[in-house]
Amino acid sequence: MGTNQSTYIRLSLMMFLQFFIWGGFFVTMGAYLLEVFRGEEGLNSIIGQAYATHNWAGLLAPLFVGLIADRYFNAERVNAVCHILGAGLLWYAATVTEPGTFIWVMFFYFMLYMPTLALVNAIAFANVNNPDNDFPKIRVWGTIGWIVAGFVVAQTVLGFVDVPLLKMLTGVENAQVTAIPLQMCAIISLIYGIYSFTLPAAPPQAKGKKFSIGEALGLDAIKLMGERNFGIFALCSFLISIPLAFYYARTNDFIAAMAFGEASASFMAIGQMSEVLFMLLVPFFLLKLGVKWMLLIGMLAWTLRYFVFAAFPESAALLIFGIALHGVCYDFFFVTGQLYVDKKAPKSMRSSAQGLFALLTYGAGMLIGNYILGWWGDNIGLDGSTTAGWLDGAFTFWIMPAVLALAVAVLFFFTFWEKREIDEEVADLK
């Protein structure tokens, strides 16, 4: 029996608001920092450190969820409190004019936000009757929320259709380089936090159980790395996430300077549209290509994307192509990777194994990547606040992640020898 319509709508709205908030300020934060901290020494490192705050929080979030939400309080109540407190921090961040303070405020904000990514999943799973069928239909509204946020902040849909909401409310032509996205997301976060108190109940699932730091971080699954192919997969997952950080932190201000101006945030949403499309195609390609080639194609798509950015920075069409590759980059690697982990890990260890995969990628890998991109930008003297600055530095800046991604792909190709297996679990994905 499927989930009733009322619950489906309430959970879908939850997902929409959850990711609207993140997409509403995160994509354009680099452009905002270029404006508000213009002239500061080490500006590229400031941007890298600001984006790294969500990776630090991602590393620590499982401890918060495992210790608090899993054992003592309903997930929807913890979600509500996190977003209400987060609203205050986002609003304060919009007033900060000192880099170090901004970075710390964002760290504390993400310490509240990142655990809610797990909480909304827990709320959804606790209230659907058929998770395999119902959860994807609910989760896709999160991606839609991120896309809509890009259109709202950019005030235009792909440069063609005006979305004048922010312009009407503020009178500002290019909101994404101002504090307005932070303020908008603060208001939405407050509304969402209050709404979360009305969500269907999700009682703690591990009440009374002993808390394990190793289990919460997925460290119990490290023993799986003793199996050669899984160890190579884990290593390459960590390494490929280092160049991934370049895309999230700097693509928006890059394409804004080179081609799309104030409409850049809506063009960035093409990546999420592509993600939805290729998500639907993963089962088909997995059956046709197998795990190794799916993962390899994902890595090579990263290489191609960064090479396009480096070699053709003035081609609007090729920049759009590079953004649209996000669906292949993300789905072919991360979604396939999650399926691979699920297949390789014993049932009793699957949760820990997925936690380890997240720790290696969105935690450690992207954390290092954000620091590297900041150091690299400052080292080459990149001026990301102007078109001329990007014209002078685009090739040197983007060739770094292109080479890194290619090196990881080559390593993976020559060392990962997993036999192609199409078992019943994978075949059921058709």
Side-chain angles (χ1 to χ4, degrees), residues 23 48 54 116 124 143 169 177 183 185 228 242 253 275 307 316 394 406 424:
H54 93 287
T116 65
T143 302
L169 292 175
V177 297
Q183 294 169 333
C185 292
R228 180 180 179 277
I242 294 174
D253 60 273
E275 182 184 327
F307 177 76
L406 180 60
E424 293 180 2

Side-chain angles (χ1 to χ4, degrees), residues 313-331:
E314 295 181 271
S315 171
L318 287 176
L319 292 181
I320 291 174
F321 170 72
I323 296 167
L325 280 172
H326 181 70
V328 180
C329 296
Y330 182 87
D331 293 331

Side-chain angles (χ1 to χ4, degrees), residues 58-174:
L59 286 171
L60 300 172
L63 298 179
F64 177 91
V65 174
L67 188 58
I68 304 296
D70 283 352
R71 284 166 171 76
Y72 298 107
F73 303 102
N74 280 24
E76 78 280 1
R77 296 174 187 171
V78 179
N79 193 59
V81 172
C82 285
H83 281 287
I84 290 171
L85 294 176
L89 287 173
L90 279 183
W91 191 270
Y92 177 58
T95 69
V96 173
T97 57
E98 196 279 317
T101 303
F102 182 87
I103 290 168
W104 276 109
V105 172
M106 292 312 299
F107 170 74
F108 287 118
Y109 169 74
F110 277 117
M111 281 298 293
L112 291 168
Y113 181 87
M114 295 305 285
T116 65
L117 294 174
L119 293 177
V120 293
N121 289 342
I123 295 167
F125 282 123
N127 290 282
V128 295
N129 294 325
N130 185 348
D132 290 342
N133 179 68
D134 296 338
F135 181 75
K137 296 176 184 177
I138 292 169
R139 175 57 182 83
V140 74
W141 283 98
T143 302
I144 294 171
W146 185 292
I147 293 170
V148 172
F151 292 155
V152 171
V153 172
Q155 301 171 174
T156 180
V157 178
L158 306 183
F160 298 111
V161 181
D162 284 340
V163 183
L165 176 62
L166 291 183
K167 194 180 297 184
M168 288 190 301
L169 292 175
T170 66
V172 176
E173 287 293 327
N174 187 11

Side-chain angles (χ1 to χ4, degrees), residues 24-294:
F25 76 88
F26 193 72
V27 173
T28 61
M29 187 168 70
Y32 169 66
L33 295 179
L34 284 171
E35 185 67 25
V36 74
F37 298 136
R38 187 186 297 270
E40 291 278 353
E41 184 178 353
L43 182 53
N44 293 286
S45 289
I46 292 171
I47 295 172
Q49 290 170 33
Y51 275 93
T53 59
H54 93 287
N55 303 119
W56 279 114
L59 286 171
L60 300 172
L63 298 179
F64 177 91
V65 174
L67 188 58
I68 304 296
D70 283 352
R71 284 166 171 76
Y72 298 107
F73 303 102
N74 280 24
E76 78 280 1
R77 296 174 187 171
V78 179
N79 193 59
V81 172
C82 285
H83 281 287
I84 290 171
L85 294 176
L89 287 173
L90 279 183
W91 191 270
Y92 177 58
T95 69
V96 173
T97 57
E98 196 279 317
T101 303
F102 182 87
I103 290 168
W104 276 109
V105 172
M106 292 312 299
F107 170 74
F108 287 118
Y109 169 74
F110 277 117
M111 281 298 293
L112 291 168
Y113 181 87
M114 295 305 285
T116 65
L117 294 174
L119 293 177
V120 293
N121 289 342
I123 295 167
F125 282 123
N127 290 282
V128 295
N129 294 325
N130 185 348
D132 290 342
N133 179 68
D134 296 338
F135 181 75
K137 296 176 184 177
I138 292 169
R139 175 57 182 83
V140 74
W141 283 98
T143 302
I144 294 171
W146 185 292
I147 293 170
V148 172
F151 292 155
V152 171
V153 172
Q155 301 171 174
T156 180
V157 178
L158 306 183
F160 298 111
V161 181
D162 284 340
V163 183
L165 176 62
L166 291 183
K167 194 180 297 184
M168 288 190 301
L169 292 175
T170 66
V172 176
E173 287 293 327
N174 187 11
Q176 65 175 305
V177 297
T178 72
I180 291 173
L182 286 167
Q183 294 169 333
M184 175 191 71
C185 292
I187 294 170
I188 299 298
S189 185
L190 177 61
I191 295 170
Y192 174 39
I194 296 171
Y195 169 70
S196 291
F197 281 115
T198 74
L199 288 169
Q205 297 297 304
K207 192 172 184 178
K209 292 183 179 179
K210 185 179 178 181
F211 176 71
S212 166
I213 292 178
E215 184 178 352
L217 293 176
L219 300 182
D220 290 359
I222 285 180
K223 63 185 71 173
L224 293 174
M225 296 175 65
E227 196 272 313
R228 180 180 179 277
N229 281 313
F230 192 90
I232 292 167
F233 163 77
L235 173 64
C236 291
S237 296
F238 161 70
L239 293 174
I240 199 66
S241 297
I242 294 174
L244 171 62
F246 283 68
Y247 176 78
Y248 286 115
R250 300 311 300 268
T251 303
N252 180 68
D253 60 273
F254 167 61
I255 67 169
M258 299 312 305
F260 304 119
E262 64 186 56
S264 61
S266 70
F267 279 92
M268 287 293 291
I270 292 173
Q272 276 62 51
M273 298 177 193
S274 170
E275 182 184 327
V276 173
L277 172 63
F278 282 98
M279 186 81 72
L280 299 174
L281 295 175
V282 163
F284 170 78
F285 283 113
L286 190 58
L287 289 168
K288 296 294 182 182
L289 301 174
V291 169
K292 177 173 182 174
W293 284 103
M294 286 284 286

